[in-house]
Amino acid sequence: MPNIAKHGPRSKERPITVMVDPDLHTILKARANANHRSVTREVIFLIETALACSSESVRETMHLFYKMGVEVTSEATDQPG
């Protein structure tokens, strides 16, 4: 997946403040810990992943997975067969 944002001390990143429900923050923090990222980097990953989707139905599906707590990553997994 292409990295939309350019991360680093000299990047042109702009701050965004988002207020979230405490339950959502707990979910984001758990996902971030599981993925070895900060909460901020986890949110950026989720936004980039959603924006990289070319289909509205794929974005909707990813949103449903997220709401169900299903982990969606960009890493390939072994499939049985």
Side-chain angles (χ1 to χ4, degrees), residues 22-40 42-43 46 66 69 71:
D23 292 337
L24 177 57
H25 185 267
T26 300
I27 292 167
L28 289 169
K29 189 171 183 177
R31 284 182 55 97
N33 287 336
N35 293 316
H36 308 287
R37 293 192 263 269
S38 67
V39 172
T40 298
E42 184 68 19
V43 169
L46 291 169
Y66 172 74
E71 183 173 348

Side-chain angles (χ1 to χ4, degrees), residues 1-74:
M1 171 191 341
N3 191 3
I4 296 170
K6 300 290 184 194
H7 306 297
R10 295 185 180 188
S11 70
K12 295 183 180 185
E13 292 179 334
R14 299 291 183 251
I16 296 176
T17 302
V18 179
M19 303 303 288
V20 297
D21 179 276
D23 292 337
L24 177 57
H25 185 267
T26 300
I27 292 167
L28 289 169
K29 189 171 183 177
R31 284 182 55 97
N33 287 336
N35 293 316
H36 308 287
R37 293 192 263 269
S38 67
V39 172
T40 298
R41 291 292 176 221
E42 184 68 19
V43 169
I44 290 169
F45 170 80
L46 291 169
I47 292 169
E48 288 176 343
T49 301
L51 292 175
C53 295
S54 60
S55 165
E56 184 64 29
S57 63
V58 172
R59 284 191 293 271
E60 289 174 7
T61 301
M62 289 183 65
H63 177 71
L64 291 173
F65 282 157
Y66 172 74
K67 291 200 62 117
M68 293 184 314
V70 175
E71 183 173 348
V72 178
T73 67
S74 60

